């Protein structure tokens, strides 16, 4: 199979979150997809299964396991497909549900993609689980921003949202990987969405991803979609809203995610970003 590499949520190969992309994985089973994802080594590789008329099945694999939905690999896949077949609309059936994506070409030659997530929801986080999570992160309750309460947010995958009171607290990421991985596996959490609010509509994020064998994701579209739902459900933004999430700067891979939050409480969240090809061959 042909494996492409793209960096999502960046206009430069040196930024964003790398993803493997297979535009036609017809006939490839899950075991082989997992093997390829492990060999590629990125946080996720996406496998597209064309069904005709711009409809596709899509599966996402980290190096360790299949995940129900991955935002940055969706943006990367849409950009790769657009550069080969032209911009337009794609209808993706993920394990989490239907995700529609539109692509457009920018004047500088980069490709921009916008995905619409499944309907989001936000759930409380148990006090005991929160205490375990903070201990694994090596955070104190005093480190939290009380205006952004801890919740578990979903828009295709489950992410605890934990807000730091200061940018310095967000910058100092040194968590207990085995303990956090065990806690996340127990609750089916995909990443932990650590955020800091710079202003009403500007946020910074970091996302530990131990279930995928990755210490930190430089750009997490699924978490951004879930966060958009969190902001809407808790009334933390005036909807409709457009929010910017900066991620990856602490890793040296700066990423920009634009989150569109419609007023309709049942609607999906829009996540927009650019994606660019990465140089170099990959195994096939």
């Amino acid at each position: 199979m042909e494996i492409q590499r793209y960096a999502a949520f960046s206009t430069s190969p040196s930024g964003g979150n790398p993803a493997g992309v297979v535009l036609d994985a017809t006939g490839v089973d899950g075991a082989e997809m997992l093997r390829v994802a492990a060999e590629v080594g990125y946080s996720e590789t996406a496998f597209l299964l064309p069904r005709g008329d711009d409809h596709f099945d899509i599966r996402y694999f980290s190096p360790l396991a299949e995940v129900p939905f991955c935002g940055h690999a969706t943006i990367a896949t849409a950009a790769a497909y657009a550069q080969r077949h032209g911009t337009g609309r794609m209808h993706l059936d993920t394990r989490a549900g239907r995700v529609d994506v539109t692509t457009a070409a920018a004047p500088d030659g980069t490709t921009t993609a916008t995905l619409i997530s499944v309907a989001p929801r936000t759930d409380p986080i148990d006090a005991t689980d929160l205490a375990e999570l903070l201990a694994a992160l090596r955070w104190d309750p005093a480190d939290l921003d009380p205006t952004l309460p801890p919740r578990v947010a979903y828009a295709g995958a489950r992410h605890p949202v934990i807000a730091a009171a200061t940018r310095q607290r967000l910058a100092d990421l040194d968590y207990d990987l085995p303990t956090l991985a065990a806690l996340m596996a127990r609750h089916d959490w995909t990443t932990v969405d650590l955020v800091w609010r710079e202003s009403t509509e500007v946020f910074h994020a970091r996302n530990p991803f131990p279930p995928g064998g990755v210490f930190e994701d430089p750009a997490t579209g699924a978490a951004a979609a879930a966060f958009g739902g969190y902001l809407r459900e808790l009334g933390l933004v005036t909807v409709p809203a457009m929010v910017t999430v900066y991620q990856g700067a602490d890793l040296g891979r700066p990423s920009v995610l634009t989150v569109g939050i419609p007023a309709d409480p049942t609607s999906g969240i829009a996540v927009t970003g650019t994606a660019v090809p990465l140089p170099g061959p990959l195994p096939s």
Side-chain angles (χ1 to χ4, degrees):
M1 74 187 83
E2 180 187 5
I3 307 166
Q4 299 185 59
R5 301 190 303 167
Y6 272 73
F9 298 112
S10 175
T11 57
S12 168
S14 62
N17 196 356
V21 175
V22 176
L23 291 180
D24 189 350
T26 302
V28 181
D29 64 18
E32 179 66 5
M33 291 179 184
L34 179 60
R35 184 198 67 79
V36 169
E39 194 167 349
V40 171
Y42 294 151
S43 59
E44 270 99 6
T45 296
F47 298 84
L48 204 60
L49 299 147
R51 300 202 326 253
D53 296 325
D54 299 323
H55 285 74
F56 307 82
D57 291 326
I58 188 168
R59 298 178 70 178
Y60 309 93
F61 285 80
S62 79
L64 297 181
E66 185 170 10
V67 297
F69 173 64
C70 173
H72 86 274
T74 298
I75 297 296
T77 298
Y81 189 86
Q83 293 199 359
R84 181 159 296 182
H85 300 287
T87 57
R89 184 178 292 273
M90 302 173 72
H91 310 285
L92 306 179
D93 285 318
T94 76
R95 285 180 55 203
R98 171 79 166 268
V99 174
D100 291 330
V101 189
T102 56
T103 52
D108 63 0
T110 58
T111 301
T112 299
T114 299
L115 66 85
I116 306 296
S117 76
V118 300
R121 68 175 185 268
T122 302
D123 299 314
I125 183 168
D126 179 84
T128 301
D129 294 335
L130 177 59
E132 287 188 50
L133 177 55
L134 293 179
L137 291 169
R138 300 189 175 103
W139 286 26
D140 294 323
D143 291 324
L144 302 182
D145 181 347
T147 68
L148 297 169
R151 293 290 190 275
V152 177
Y154 172 87
R158 287 163 51 81
H159 309 265
V161 175
I162 305 296
T166 66
R167 182 65 179 87
Q168 183 55 46
R169 172 66 277 183
L170 187 69
D172 184 16
L173 185 62
D174 178 27
Y175 68 87
D176 182 333
L177 196 152
T179 300
L180 184 58
L183 177 65
M184 293 176 71
R186 197 160 73 240
H187 294 287
D188 193 29
W189 295 339
T190 300
T191 72
V192 179
D193 194 24
L194 305 174
V195 300
W196 173 71
R197 178 162 53 184
E198 177 181 323
S199 66
T200 304
E201 295 178 344
V202 177
F203 295 83
H204 298 252
R206 302 186 75 173
N207 274 250
F209 185 31
V214 176
F215 186 81
E216 181 183 356
D217 235 3
T220 317
F227 184 61
Y230 160 95
L231 292 173
R232 180 174 67 190
E233 186 169 327
L234 273 63
L236 297 169
V237 291
T238 301
V239 292
M242 193 71 71
V243 166
T244 301
V245 177
Y246 293 102
Q247 192 177 339
D250 299 278
L251 286 173
R253 294 197 66 89
S255 309
V256 181
L257 301 85
T258 303
V259 183
I261 309 172
D264 180 358
T266 66
S267 64
I269 303 298
V271 178
T272 300
T274 54
V276 293
L278 294 169
L282 272 177
S284 59

